């Protein structure tokens, strides 16, 4: 067996010889450009790991082409573990902003001109993360910024790669398919269901008619309009990209997450919200840092700068609909109790 040496194994020479600050006259007379380069490189390495994990998760969902994820294997726990790992990486890279903030605005001005028109805006890997999660070009804040390949934007080749990733099955689309096939509403499980109301059920499942009334009763006077929203989200249009069937599944999992069969699915939904939240934290920290470094000057990538970044914070979420399911929850004690056949199906049977 080859006698592998540490630095060869991790190809350390390549990494440690990839910092070439453009503003330095000599290494012992440097400024913060060294820190600036290293921190971007570290970010890009973590972006690479996040893409790797995202692709593994997507592959699990796409397995076998049709049904994908196998509910009777460790697929679901692998997916949750990998999504939680992405969350941990995001926590770490959020903290890293503080390291760069030890550089002041004046320190940055010493070398800002040498990097023009390069910008983090051209980070292909960052765009790939967003695209693979399910954020579409047209859903972005100032979508026009992303469409051209002028100075400071993505190169033609990078833009094509991002567009390709957007066209593949995104994590969001795969999650929707998975939610849509939730099987628990077959009549065999609901024979002995004891209704909590006498309301007509029409073409809605009797459980949802009862739940809707319990939700209505939970609303305060100034929230009355929410009931209309409930019907729209769960029976008519869905919410954002997510159709009503999948929204109902997400709500059902969230309400009954104490049932053994729903524990992992709930962890999964929770991990998606967590990723969205941590990514949004990063956007916010990055925006604050940018405002501190360059004030209201335009970015090297040609956007309006801090103003643009602030807009992305409130708009660039991939799983907002999942997180906002909380709008439609009711107290535990008010939940309709599930029929015995369904509870048995949803429990561990050892
Ligand atoms: C002095 C520090 C920094 C400044 C002043 C700065 C400035 C900016 C500005 C102004 C933009 C908007 C695009 C533009 O017009 O250029 C931007 C975008 C971006 N920057 Fe930074 N940045 C800094 C550090 C970083 C670091 C350390 C990263 C880590 C990779 C990073 C990643 C990004 C990304 C991914 C975007 C695109 C964000 C989006 O479109 O949602 N930046 N940056």
């Amino acid at each position: 067996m080859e006698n592998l040496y540490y630095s060869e194994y991790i190809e350390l020479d390549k990494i440690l010889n990839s910092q070439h600050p453009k503003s330095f006259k000599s290494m012992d007379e440097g400024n913060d450009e060294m820190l600036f380069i290293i921190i971007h490189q570290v970010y890009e390495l973590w972006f690479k790991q996040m893409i790797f994990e995202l692709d593994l998760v997507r592959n699990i969902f796409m397995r076998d082409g049709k049904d994908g994820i196998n509910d009777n294997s460790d697929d679901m726990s692998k997916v949750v573990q990998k999504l939680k790992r992405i969350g941990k990486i995001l926590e770490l890279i959020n903290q890293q902003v503080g390291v760069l903030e030890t550089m002041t605005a004046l320190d940055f001005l010493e070398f800002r001109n040498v990097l023009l028109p390069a910008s983090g805006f051209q980070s292909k890997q960052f765009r790939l993360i967003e695209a693979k999660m399910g954020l579409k070009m047209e859903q972005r804040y100032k979508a026009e910024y992303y469409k051209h390949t002028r100075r400071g934007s993505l190169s033609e080749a990078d833009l094509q790669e991002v567009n390709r990733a957007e066209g593949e099955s995104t994590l969001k689309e795969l999650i929707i398919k998975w939610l849509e096939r939730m099987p628990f509403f077959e009549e065999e499980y609901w024979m002995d269901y004891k209704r909590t109301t006498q309301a007509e059920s029409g073409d809605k499942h009797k459980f949802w008619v009862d739940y809707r009334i319990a939700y209505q009763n939970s609303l305060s006077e100034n929230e009355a309009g929410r009931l209309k929203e409930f019907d729209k989200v769960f029976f008519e249009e869905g919410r954002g990209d997510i159709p009503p069937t999948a929204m109902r599944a997400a709500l059902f999992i969230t309400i009954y997450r104490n049932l053994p069969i729903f524990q992992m699915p709930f962890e999964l939904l929770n991990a998606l919200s967590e990723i969205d939240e941590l990514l949004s934290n990063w956007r916010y920290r990055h925006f604050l840092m940018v405002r501190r470094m360059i004030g209201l000057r335009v970015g090297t990538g040609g956007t309006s700068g801090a103003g643009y970044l602030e807009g992305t914070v409130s708009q660039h979420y991939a799983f907002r609909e999942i997180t906002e399911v909380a709008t439609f929850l009711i107290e535990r004690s008010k939940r309709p109790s599930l029929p015995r056949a369904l509870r048995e199906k949803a429990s561990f049977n050892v």
Side-chain angles (χ1 to χ4, degrees):
M1 220 168 88
E2 196 188 346
N3 201 358
L4 211 53
Y5 193 64
Y6 167 77
S7 54
E8 284 169 24
Y9 174 57
I10 60 168
E11 301 188 42
L12 201 52
D13 278 355
K14 275 192 213 155
I15 299 177
L16 297 184
N17 288 309
S18 301
Q19 294 74 35
H20 305 289
K22 294 198 177 307
S23 65
F24 284 19
K25 294 194 180 60
S26 67
M27 274 296 172
D28 48 8
E29 244 188 77
N31 52 34
D32 283 346
E33 194 184 351
M34 181 62 110
L35 173 70
F36 189 78
I37 291 175
I38 287 184
I39 208 145
H40 278 86
Q41 289 177 337
V42 173
Y43 269 106
E44 290 292 340
L45 283 175
W46 283 124
F47 290 165
K48 180 166 183 171
Q49 185 67 32
M50 285 166 66
I51 292 172
F52 180 76
E53 304 294 355
L54 266 178
D55 282 342
L56 288 180
V57 168
R58 289 170 51 249
N59 286 340
I60 291 177
F61 275 107
M62 289 189 282
R63 193 171 287 161
D64 301 335
K66 44 182 186 12
D67 279 332
I69 194 160
N70 178 348
D71 296 321
N72 292 312
S73 71
D74 62 357
D75 274 0
M76 185 56 84
S77 60
K78 269 196 204 147
V79 161
V80 170
Q81 180 207 25
K82 292 188 175 308
L83 293 177
K84 284 190 173 172
R85 180 177 295 159
I86 292 177
K88 288 286 167 199
I89 296 174
L90 283 165
E91 278 176 19
L92 184 72
I93 65 177
N94 268 317
Q95 285 194 3
Q96 271 175 212
V97 175
V99 180
L100 192 55
E101 278 175 337
T102 59
M103 172 177 88
T104 68
L106 275 179
D107 297 334
F108 184 42
L109 274 181
E110 278 181 32
F111 63 91
R112 186 176 186 230
N113 277 343
V114 303
L115 55 101
L116 283 165
S119 163
F121 194 71
Q122 296 164 322
S123 170
K124 177 182 74 180
Q125 292 203 103
F126 188 77
R127 296 274 171 258
L128 285 176
I129 292 171
E130 293 179 324
K132 283 170 189 276
M133 292 222 306
L135 182 71
K136 303 278 183 205
M137 281 291 176
E138 72 272 11
Q139 295 167 336
R140 292 166 187 268
Y141 179 71
K142 301 265 185 207
E144 67 275 12
Y145 278 150
Y146 304 91
K147 293 186 181 146
H148 43 65
T149 50
R150 66 180 183 206
R151 237 170 92 87
S153 308
L154 281 181
S155 69
E156 190 63 49
D158 284 353
L159 185 63
Q160 270 180 23
E161 203 177 322
V162 175
N163 286 336
R164 224 178 3 256
E166 207 182 285
E168 289 167 1
S169 292
T170 67
L171 180 59
K172 186 171 193 180
E173 286 160 0
L174 293 162
I175 295 282
I176 292 172
K177 273 198 199 140
W178 166 75
L179 284 170
E180 281 186 313
R181 75 178 169 84
M182 197 180 75
F184 295 100
F185 281 86
E186 284 125 10
E187 192 43 37
E188 59 184 293
Y189 301 125
W190 293 87
M191 310 280 211
D192 61 346
Y193 174 60
K194 293 192 183 49
R195 298 219 31 200
T196 51
T197 75
Q198 297 309 313
E200 284 288 317
S201 57
D203 56 358
K204 285 195 185 88
H205 192 280
K206 50 200 170 188
F207 166 83
W208 287 115
V209 176
D210 288 350
Y211 188 87
R212 181 179 179 277
I213 290 178
Y215 180 65
Q216 183 177 24
N217 293 337
S218 79
L219 296 172
S220 60
E221 240 172 64
N222 53 6
E223 285 182 311
R226 285 269 161 234
L227 193 63
K228 255 203 174 134
E229 184 70 8
F230 183 92
D231 291 337
K232 203 166 117 191
V233 171
F234 297 103
F235 295 98
E236 293 158 13
E237 294 171 17
R239 192 173 182 91
D241 301 328
I242 309 191
T245 34
M247 284 306 293
R248 287 203 296 272
L251 179 57
F252 199 69
I253 290 169
T254 310
I255 313 166
Y256 296 105
R257 67 177 210 223
N258 58 312
L259 289 173
I261 210 164
F262 289 148
Q263 286 169 7
M264 272 293 158
F266 176 74
E267 290 274 310
L268 167 59
L269 297 182
N270 209 31
L272 297 174
S273 296
E274 185 101 354
I275 289 176
D276 244 9
E277 191 174 315
L278 287 162
L279 204 49
S280 160
N281 283 348
W282 183 81
R283 289 183 204 283
Y284 188 61
R285 288 218 59 182
H286 173 261
F287 148 67
L288 290 178
M289 174 188 67
V290 169
R291 198 173 55 179
R292 212 159 133 180
M293 295 292 169
I294 63 169
L296 300 179
R297 296 178 78 161
V298 296
T300 49
T303 72
S304 62
Y308 157 74
L309 294 170
E310 193 173 17
T312 67
V313 178
S314 52
Q315 198 160 321
H316 290 187
Y317 291 96
F319 299 104
R320 166 173 249 153
E321 305 93 325
I322 300 279
T323 308
E324 290 174 358
V325 157
T327 319
F328 304 101
L329 294 179
I330 57 174
E331 283 170 53
R332 278 195 173 90
S333 60
K334 305 278 169 39
R335 295 174 301 185
S337 58
L338 296 179
R340 192 183 39 82
L342 179 50
R343 269 186 282 119
E344 270 174 19
K345 170 84 181 161
S347 300
F348 294 131
N349 291 304
V350 280

